[in-house]
């Protein structure tokens, strides 16, 4: 069957063919750049989502721990020693500040357990037992948020150091991100008021 | 227990004997028909006169065999299977689990399994040996399930087995609101694709921080945070142990707050032996099949966490 378009091929010279191939290659490269840069952007969004997840987990854990301490107040009325709460959670904390806060919350959690050991009647309080269970669950959620964040950061960092995606990363001025690491007692002891 | 095993094994032998005896009329009829044919040929008798007798004898023999196998041998088989399941299987389960309810003829509904999107659902769905019981306060339900897809083109019939093995459902102590699947990579029959036109919830592939775990298992989750919440390093260790202990492949699915475990072994685990003898180690064989349940609950301390709550 005669196809009129095919007739044109016979009239195209070598130069034109080379030009077509070059244009096709350029288009492919442009498409590849677009795909890689979009995937980098998606990666960044996932890291931001995971970061937000850490905030949510930290806030929840903080709320539960303060409720547990409020419950403990009723049982530790005769306690004379006063210790102060110095944990501050706020919007827009850096990763180091969050790690610092997480470490303080760990210490706070330990103090809650110490109080429970010191006051048996507190241990048998249903509200307190329920809170302890929720605190354990919130710790697990915080760990999950941390691991998800680190997983996304790891993926981004690997792509930024691997060729050829590293070329696109540099074009987009992307830099390797820090991992969320659990801080080990860098700060002063947490003080809790009863 | 030995006398009891001997008694059940006698039933098995009677059942086998009844099947063999059922076929005797068929073979007798066939032999008679052949003899009539040979004799008439040898004595140069008129074959047309005697062929009617030969065919009649053959048909009568076959009819008697069919009758005996349906109404006699099959009933012996059902009695044997029922005795085996209700006595050996149930007593084995009751030695480990509490509040055992054993329903040999029942299994999960097709829709209940389909809504997990863990395996493809073909056009053949059959199951039996439903057990509901408790282990250390944790209730679970399991049954033996076979899911196949049978296609016939007229000239040939093709049977693809998607799943054959145990399906276990238990109440996991961690609750997530989204779907999560953990698949052993060797499980080739797992439901494929959470694509645009699929009814399945949209799940994405999640890579954990463990290279070994990622090599052996593939994780799909609607919410990656839930995946990391469930799949802790300890949970990964438990799955490695289970993979080493199970002779088959498995998928875990968290659906609607329940944990589904599908163990594909290509066998129906609570079926009694037919040809081989019923041995005193039957109980151990039964208990070996429930290993995964006890291991999961023990290793993950599900019962302890439940008590704390």
């Amino acid at each position: 069957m005669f196809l009129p378009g095919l007739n044109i091929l016979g009239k195209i010279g070598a130069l034109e063919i080379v030009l077509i191939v070059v244009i096709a290659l350029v288009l492919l490269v442009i498409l590849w750049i677009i795909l890689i840069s979009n995937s980098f952007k998606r990666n960044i969004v996932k890291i931001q989502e995971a970061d937000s997840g850490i905030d949510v987990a930290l806030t929840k854990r903080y709320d539960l721990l303060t409720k547990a301490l409020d419950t403990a107040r009723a049982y530790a009325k005769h306690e004379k020693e006063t210790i102060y709460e110095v944990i501050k959670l706020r919007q827009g904390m850096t990763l180091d500040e969050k790690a610092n806060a997480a470490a303080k919350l760990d210490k706070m959690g330990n103090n809650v357990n110490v109080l429970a050991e010191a006051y048996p009647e507190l241990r048998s309080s249903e509200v307190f037992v329920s809170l302890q269970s929720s605190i354990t669950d919130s710790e697990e959620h915080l760990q999950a948020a941390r691991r998800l964040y680190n997983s996304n950061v790891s993926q981004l960092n690997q792509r930024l150091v691997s060729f050829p995606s590293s070329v696109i990363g540099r074009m987009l001025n992307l830099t390797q991100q820090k991992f969320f690491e659990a801080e080990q007692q860098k700060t002063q002891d947490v003080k809790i008021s009863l | 227990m030995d006398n009891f095993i001997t008694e059940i094994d006698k039933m098995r032998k009677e059942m086998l004997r009844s099947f063999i005896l059922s076929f005797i009329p068929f073979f007798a009829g066939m032999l008679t028909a052949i003899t009539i044919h040979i004799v008439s040929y040898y004595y140069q008798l008129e074959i047309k006169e005697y062929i009617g007798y030969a065919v009649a004898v053959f048909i009568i023999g076959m009819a008697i065999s069919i009758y005996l196998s349906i109404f006699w041998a099959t009933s012996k088989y059902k009695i044997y299977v029922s005795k085996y399941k209700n006595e050996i299987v149930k007593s084995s389960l009751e030695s480990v689990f509490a509040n055992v309810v054993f329903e040999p003829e029942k299994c999960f509904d097709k829709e209940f399994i389909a809504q997990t999107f863990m395996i493809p659902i073909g056009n053949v769905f059959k199951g039996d040996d439903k057990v509901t019981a408790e282990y250390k306060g944790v209730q679970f339900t399991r049954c033996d399930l076979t899911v196949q897809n049978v296609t016939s083109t007229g000239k040939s019939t093709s049977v693809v087995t998607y799943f054959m093995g145990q399906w276990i459902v238990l109440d996991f102590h961690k609750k997530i609101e989204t779907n999560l699947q953990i698949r052993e990579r060797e499980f080739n029959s797992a439901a494929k694709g959470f694509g645009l036109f699929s009814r399945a919830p949209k799940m994405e592939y999640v890579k954990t921080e463990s290279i070994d775990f990622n090599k052996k298992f593939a994780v799909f989750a609607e919410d990656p945070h839930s995946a990391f919440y469930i799949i802790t390093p300890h949970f990964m260790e438990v799955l490695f142990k289970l993979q080493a202990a199970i002779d088959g492949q498995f998928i875990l699915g968290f659906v609607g707050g329940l944990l589904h475990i599908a163990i594909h072994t290509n066998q129906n685990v609570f079926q009694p032996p037919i040809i081989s003898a019923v041995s005193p180690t039957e109980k151990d064989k039964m208990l070996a099949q429930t290993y995964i349940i006890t291991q999961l609950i023990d290793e993950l301390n599900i019962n302890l966490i439940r008590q704390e709550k």
Side-chain angles (χ1 to χ4, degrees), chain A residues 46 53 57 129-130 133 136-137 140-145 147-148 151 155 158, chain B residues 174-175 204 207-209 223-225 227-229 231-233 236 305 308-309:
Chain A
K46 282 188 179 179
V129 166
S130 170
S133 167
T136 306
D137 192 53
E140 290 177 352
H141 273 289
L142 181 57
Q143 288 304 317
R147 288 167 63 212
L148 176 60
S151 170
Q155 282 178 40
Q158 283 176 51
Chain B
K174 285 185 180 179
K175 297 295 178 194
E204 59 181 277
K207 215 172 170 182
T208 70
E209 63 273 86
D223 174 18
H225 176 89
F228 282 97
Y229 172 58
I231 308 171
T232 59
M236 288 188 213
I305 292 164
E308 282 171 18
K309 287 185 176 176

Side-chain angles (χ1 to χ4, degrees), chain A residues 51-67 87-93 98 101-102 105 108 135 138 141-142 145:
Chain A
D51 189 38
S52 169
I54 292 173
D55 290 340
V56 167
L58 276 173
T59 307
K60 187 177 176 186
R61 192 159 172 227
Y62 174 79
D63 289 343
L64 287 167
L65 281 167
T66 48
K67 275 183 191 166
I87 300 172
K88 299 285 177 206
L89 292 180
R90 55 175 177 78
Q91 293 273 358
M93 287 166 72
K98 287 180 194 178
L105 286 172
M108 203 168 155
I135 288 165
S138 71
H141 273 289
L142 181 57

Side-chain angles (χ1 to χ4, degrees), chain B residues 14-266:
Chain B
E14 270 181 38
M15 180 266 303
L16 267 179
R17 202 177 303 124
S18 67
F19 268 110
I20 292 166
L21 291 175
S22 298
F23 279 98
I24 288 176
F26 169 74
F27 287 115
M30 195 166 69
L31 201 62
T32 308
I34 292 169
T35 306
I36 291 171
H37 181 78
I38 291 170
V39 166
S40 63
Y41 179 78
Y42 184 76
Y43 287 105
Q44 294 177 337
L45 301 172
E46 191 61 45
I47 289 182
K48 283 181 190 173
E49 282 182 42
Y50 294 97
I51 197 138
Y53 296 123
V55 169
V57 166
F58 176 72
I59 290 172
I60 289 167
M62 193 166 71
I64 293 171
S65 281
I66 290 170
Y67 177 84
L68 287 175
S69 61
I70 291 172
F71 292 101
W72 183 47
T74 304
S75 67
K76 288 267 183 191
Y77 171 76
K78 284 181 180 172
I79 291 168
Y80 162 62
V81 169
S82 175
K83 188 84 174 169
Y84 179 92
K85 287 187 178 181
N86 283 307
E87 304 292 341
I88 293 181
V89 175
K90 194 173 179 192
S91 68
S92 302
L93 294 171
E94 283 170 346
S95 67
V96 176
F97 304 121
N99 304 326
V100 173
V101 175
F102 182 41
E103 298 165 286
E105 306 296 322
K106 289 191 178 176
C107 190
F108 299 117
D109 291 333
K110 185 174 178 178
E111 194 47 45
F112 180 72
I113 301 296
Q115 54 95 26
T116 65
F117 298 102
M118 286 162 62
I119 55 168
I121 298 293
N123 50 23
V124 174
F125 184 94
K126 47 190 179 184
D128 56 9
D129 298 335
K130 185 177 182 183
V131 176
T132 304
E134 272 183 31
Y135 178 70
K136 295 186 180 176
V138 179
Q139 188 173 47
F140 68 89
T141 308
R142 57 83 62 206
C143 79
D144 288 313
L145 186 62
T146 301
V147 178
Q148 295 171 319
N149 198 52
V150 179
T151 48
S152 181
T153 59
K155 285 183 183 176
S156 64
T157 302
S158 155
V159 179
V160 176
T161 300
Y162 291 140
F163 180 82
M164 186 173 179
Q166 278 197 83
W167 195 284
I168 304 163
V169 180
L170 62 90
D171 192 14
F172 198 63
H173 59 290
K174 285 185 180 179
K175 297 295 178 194
I176 56 174
E177 290 170 5
T178 53
N179 288 342
L180 167 66
Q181 281 187 23
I182 305 163
R183 303 178 179 179
E184 211 180 316
R185 287 191 185 273
E186 290 175 3
F187 193 146
N188 296 323
S189 302
K192 294 196 174 32
F194 303 108
L196 196 60
F197 301 106
S198 168
R199 286 194 312 128
K202 300 294 175 268
M203 293 197 252
E204 59 181 277
Y205 174 66
V206 176
K207 215 172 170 182
T208 70
E209 63 273 86
S210 167
I211 297 171
D212 288 336
F213 185 84
N214 294 336
K215 274 185 189 166
K216 290 192 178 169
F217 300 95
V219 179
F220 296 92
E222 279 185 283
D223 174 18
H225 176 89
S226 300
F228 282 97
Y229 172 58
I230 297 288
I231 308 171
T232 59
H234 177 56
F235 192 85
M236 288 188 213
E237 288 298 317
V238 172
L239 291 187
F240 281 133
K241 280 186 191 175
L242 286 173
Q243 192 203 26
I246 290 170
D247 183 21
Q249 301 88 36
F250 63 90
I251 302 180
L252 270 66
F254 290 82
V255 183
L258 296 172
L259 169 58
H260 293 250
I261 310 161
I263 308 166
H264 177 61
T265 53
N266 268 324

Side-chain angles (χ1 to χ4, degrees), chain B residues 263-280:
Chain B
I263 308 166
H264 177 61
T265 53
N266 268 324
Q267 51 179 300
N268 188 325
V269 299
F270 287 159
Q271 285 299 105
I274 303 296
I275 308 296
S276 56
V278 177
S279 74

